[in-house]
Amino acid sequence: MPDQPETMIEIAGGGLSAGITALGAELHYLRDAEGRDLLWDGDPAFWTGRAPLLFPIVGGLNRDSYHLDGETYHLAKHGFARRSRFSVAGQTADHVIFRLEADAETRAVYPFDFRLDVRFTLHDGALTVTATVANRGDTPMPASFGFHPALRWPLPYGQPRDIHRIHFARPEPAPIRRLDGDGLVSPTPRPTPIEGDVLPLADALFTDDAIILDTPASRAVTYGAPAGPQLAIDFPDMPMLGIWTKPGAGYICIEPWHGIADPAGFLGDIFAKPGILTFAPGEENAFTMHIALQKPG
């Protein structure tokens, strides 16, 4: 179902404003106090996404399918939440909560009684997004969750694109992972392009798709040009990080994940899938991402 303009919920606070649509509970814009856009605009010449939510899987499945109790189920890359229509469960001037619950359509591809609440809050120069996944059924539930915000590259502060960088909270010497031609995690790690704790951004980094940090030391990064306002992205609950763009596009995705695409050749049960969490009946877990605008000085 196509998105509808009337489903946009707008919030403001702490010097920022944001618009989120009920379709996918997707952030559609994030603006500073002067109205400058910090988020990609979804130009279809490159990619129509802006900040999709990844649930109940992150990345792709081998043959777009998974196995559970001897049955085979089919799920598209990154799951169904990004194409589902959420309801509004609460709203004030500076925050909104979107909710997605299991129904007949989701149970056909994911036979679990889940609830996904996503709260967007603007406060003190920062956007906080907290996604809470709950198992409302009486059997264990496998799930992953990921954020996928596409930030402007360059940011709208007059600094050249080619001096933008990602600065990690800690040095990141570990090898990275890449995807193969089927969108699955290649078995061979690659040397990291991160120089100590800094990744200088260049289109050539992404000719082989995303950079995947499956064991990052950091749970926070800063993105932007050294002399201009930057964005600080914190992801305390997320043990993996993807970084991606299409070469030449005006965005960089900094993607905190709790989950990852299938390894090449993986044919196991979904509970054995790398990055999967198992939710006991009645259990819930929260995943949080902060994006804060930091001004120089």
Side-chain angles (χ1 to χ4, degrees):
M1 181 184 296
D3 198 8
Q4 302 168 2
E6 65 270 22
T7 64
M8 179 83 73
I9 301 295
E10 297 179 308
I11 58 175
L16 298 174
S17 60
I20 308 101
T21 60
L23 184 65
E26 185 172 10
L27 183 69
H28 263 228
Y29 71 79
L30 179 64
R31 295 173 182 150
D32 68 10
E34 287 71 44
R36 290 173 291 210
D37 282 302
L38 306 175
L39 197 73
W40 169 245
D41 64 0
D43 181 352
F46 289 97
W47 182 53
T48 57
R50 299 168 190 249
L53 302 176
L54 316 183
F55 175 83
I57 57 169
V58 173
L61 299 171
N62 189 12
R63 304 174 187 171
D64 291 327
S65 62
Y66 68 91
H67 304 288
L68 173 70
D69 295 334
E71 300 290 335
T72 299
Y73 296 86
H74 297 278
L75 266 182
K77 181 179 179 181
H78 293 321
F80 52 72
R82 62 186 179 142
R83 295 188 176 92
S84 299
R85 190 166 295 279
F86 287 62
S87 62
V88 176
Q91 182 183 0
T92 67
D94 65 0
H95 87 267
V96 61
I97 302 170
F98 287 92
R99 175 168 293 169
L100 181 66
E101 297 180 290
D103 59 19
E105 186 174 354
T106 67
R107 290 188 183 98
V109 295
Y110 181 68
F112 299 97
D113 190 7
F114 72 89
R115 183 175 65 207
L116 171 60
D117 282 351
V118 188
R119 179 185 177 114
F120 296 81
T121 303
L122 294 175
H123 177 72
D124 197 22
L127 169 70
T128 299
V129 189
T130 298
T132 303
V133 176
N135 180 2
R136 304 176 69 198
D138 56 7
T139 61
M141 181 181 84
S144 288
F145 185 85
F147 297 104
H148 199 315
L151 306 170
R152 293 274 177 168
W153 179 24
L155 289 173
Y157 298 112
Q159 299 296 313
R161 187 173 184 268
D162 61 3
I163 66 169
H164 281 58
R165 63 184 189 174
I166 297 174
H167 188 177
F168 292 81
R170 297 181 181 180
E172 296 290 352
I176 63 167
R177 309 307 292 258
R178 291 286 196 176
L179 302 177
D180 65 13
D182 296 319
L184 306 179
V185 178
S186 172
T188 306
R190 306 276 190 93
T192 181
I194 301 168
E195 301 170 4
D197 58 2
V198 175
L199 177 65
L201 291 175
D203 286 320
L205 292 170
F206 304 101
T207 55
D208 292 331
D209 210 289
I211 294 170
I212 299 172
L213 284 72
D214 59 341
T215 58
S218 303
R219 293 295 182 272
V221 302
T222 304
Y223 158 67
Q230 300 184 7
L231 296 176
I233 300 101
D234 297 89
F235 40 99
D237 316 300
M238 316 298 280
M240 301 175 185
L241 187 70
I243 304 169
W244 172 74
T245 191
K246 289 188 175 180
Y251 64 86
I252 185 74
C253 291
I254 299 175
E255 308 175 34
W257 298 339
H258 202 306
I260 199 168
D262 276 355
F266 180 76
L267 293 171
D269 188 271
I270 191 171
F271 282 99
K273 176 180 166 60
I276 279 286
L277 284 169
T278 299
F279 291 72
E283 183 180 3
E284 64 180 44
N285 205 338
F287 308 91
T288 298
M289 175 182 66
H290 307 277
I291 302 177
L293 180 60
Q294 294 184 338
K295 298 183 180 179

